[in-house]
Amino acid sequence: MSAQTFEATANGEAPLFYEVEEHHHPEGASTMLGFWMYLMSDCLIFAILFACYAVLGRSYGGGEGPRELFELPLVALNTAMLLFSSLTYGFAMLTMERPGASVRAVQGWLIVTGLFGLAFLCIELYEFSNLIHEGAGPWRSAFLSSFFTLVGTHGLHVTVGLIWLVTLVVQIGMHGLGQANRRRLMCLSMFWHFLDVIWIGVFTIVYLMGVLG
Amino acid sequence: MSADTLHTSANGHDHGHDDHAHGDHGHDGAPHGSLRGYLIGFLLSVILTAIPFALVMTGKLDGTTTAVIVLAMAAIQVVVHMVFFLHMTTTAEGGWSFLALLFTVIVIVITLAGSIWVMYHMNANMMPAAIAEAMSQQ
């Protein structure tokens, strides 16, 4: 047996090539890293959708292109909403980290963040419904299919983020700012800022580069 | 912040996991922002968003120059968000989150560059003969 050949080491003990003792894992210690891994995999979903848009984004099927369809002032307003919401979420986190933080103050900043997020979603839905009314729905051309898929997936993420945010507002109202709730708020913080990073890609590649032609 | 992380890696595998728990301010070992950091990040983002929008909407510069500036500003803004909002450092979580980020960036670059490259050549080389002829006569 190979194990027996190892027994004749200098101090007479068999060498160990793995750790024998169980690690002590404090609750939630690896949550942030795990959530970051999730965000990175989410990043790959968006990378694929961006690649789709890059490939199909010029196939207008004889229909209208970005220059005719997109309204940049509306997109700029949308970008501002998301950027403001990122800042106010930052304020919520700063309020939470202060010693003796009041639940009400954190809830207040979260609600402001949620309202900016809601405004973003409403503007996006308004834009989508306008496009569909003009006959430029996702079925019109490969360009519009990939556009609706990419921007829609981002919008879906914001929607889920909003549901999560409302849940946490209620949650901290009921159970206060305990360790578990702080951890949840930090996860949502990463998720929310991550969505803003994705939006930078969307407004640059889809809207600005699209209108530029 | 960095002292804690160094401490973690110096400890090796024996206590590495425990140290996450009493990291920076007593929870989860993740770095935190400051008011100054968020405001700097916000101001930089506003500038880096306003310039590309203004350039495209007014059309002051020619197409290629505008495209280069717009893409460069987006890349810078992604880094600004990563640093000031997501508090990304090379040492957070013992460097694992940065490693994951690097890996993701590599996969994204391969995906995007590969898709665009392959599909561009597919379009150029596999066009139906009639259309290709019509285009060559133009």
Side-chain angles (χ1 to χ4, degrees):
Chain A
M1 296 289 265
S2 58
Q4 281 168 330
T5 51
F6 286 122
E7 270 171 33
T9 45
N11 50 7
E13 279 177 38
L16 280 171
F17 297 105
Y18 52 90
E19 293 175 51
V20 188
E21 283 169 50
E22 279 269 319
H23 280 300
H24 171 61
H25 293 280
E27 199 195 326
S30 50
T31 306
M32 301 316 288
L33 182 59
F35 195 75
W36 181 255
M37 295 291 174
Y38 154 69
L39 287 183
M40 291 299 100
S41 67
D42 218 11
C43 230
L44 297 183
I45 293 180
F46 281 106
I48 291 162
L49 293 178
F50 271 112
C52 263
Y53 183 82
V55 168
L56 301 173
R58 310 262 156 162
S59 311
Y60 307 132
E64 287 176 312
R67 205 181 289 244
E68 296 83 37
L69 291 174
F70 295 155
E71 291 171 49
L72 283 188
L74 206 62
V75 182
L77 183 67
N78 234 353
T79 307
M81 288 301 129
L82 215 52
L83 198 53
F84 275 124
S85 80
S86 255
L87 182 69
T88 53
Y89 202 108
F91 288 158
M93 294 304 285
L94 290 174
T95 312
M96 181 194 86
E97 280 153 19
R98 230 176 276 151
S102 89
V103 173
R104 278 293 165 84
V106 177
Q107 277 178 322
W109 282 119
L110 286 179
I111 288 167
V112 173
T113 307
L115 289 177
F116 278 125
L118 194 65
F120 171 86
L121 267 187
C122 290
I123 295 169
E124 193 165 285
L125 287 175
Y126 168 77
E127 189 199 8
F128 280 7
S129 72
N130 263 0
L131 285 175
I132 290 169
H133 272 289
E134 289 172 28
W139 53 84
R140 180 61 190 82
S141 62
F143 150 63
L144 283 164
S145 302
S146 55
F147 164 79
F148 273 95
T149 313
L150 172 57
V151 182
T153 305
H154 180 269
L156 200 63
H157 275 76
V158 176
T159 313
V160 173
L162 271 182
I163 295 170
W164 189 0
L165 191 135
V166 172
T167 313
L168 279 183
V169 167
V170 176
Q171 182 100 338
I172 63 172
M174 286 166 72
H175 302 292
L177 291 166
Q179 200 80 327
N181 274 346
R182 281 168 189 266
R183 201 167 58 235
R184 287 166 189 144
L185 281 170
M186 282 169 72
C187 282
L188 180 57
S189 159
M190 285 163 79
F191 186 71
W192 199 261
H193 292 310
F194 166 76
L195 289 184
D196 208 359
V197 174
I198 298 294
W199 183 253
I200 298 170
V202 173
F203 80 70
T204 303
I205 305 286
V206 175
Y207 291 103
L208 292 181
M209 298 301 283
V211 170
L212 210 56
Chain B
M1 209 183 298
S2 56
D4 269 326
T5 331
L6 285 176
H7 177 58
T8 306
S9 49
N11 255 351
H13 55 267
D14 285 335
H15 302 288
H17 286 277
D18 292 338
D19 279 357
H20 283 299
H22 41 84
D24 297 300
H25 304 295
H27 43 260
D28 296 331
H32 301 288
S34 60
L35 179 63
R36 221 174 80 91
Y38 278 112
L39 289 177
I40 291 172
F42 179 73
L43 279 178
L44 284 176
S45 298
V46 168
I47 295 167
L48 290 168
T49 305
I51 292 174
F53 267 96
L55 282 180
V56 173
M57 283 161 94
T58 57
K60 278 241 168 74
L61 302 170
D62 67 290
T64 320
T65 319
T66 312
V68 170
I69 295 176
V70 165
L71 288 176
M73 296 240 162
I76 299 169
Q77 202 184 342
V78 168
V79 176
V80 166
H81 275 243
M82 284 281 175
V83 172
F84 291 102
F85 291 159
L86 282 163
H87 315 307
M88 191 66 204
T89 61
T90 51
T91 48
E93 302 277 5
W96 287 110
S97 42
F98 186 69
L99 207 63
L101 177 66
L102 274 186
F103 176 69
T104 311
V105 169
I106 292 170
V107 174
I108 288 173
V109 167
I110 294 172
T111 312
L112 283 179
S115 303
I116 294 166
W117 183 39
V118 169
M119 293 312 287
Y120 174 78
H121 284 274
M122 291 269 277
N123 276 341
N125 297 330
M126 298 190 69
M127 224 173 246
I131 301 174
E133 258 174 49
M135 283 188 74
S136 63
Q137 280 164 8
Q138 273 173 6

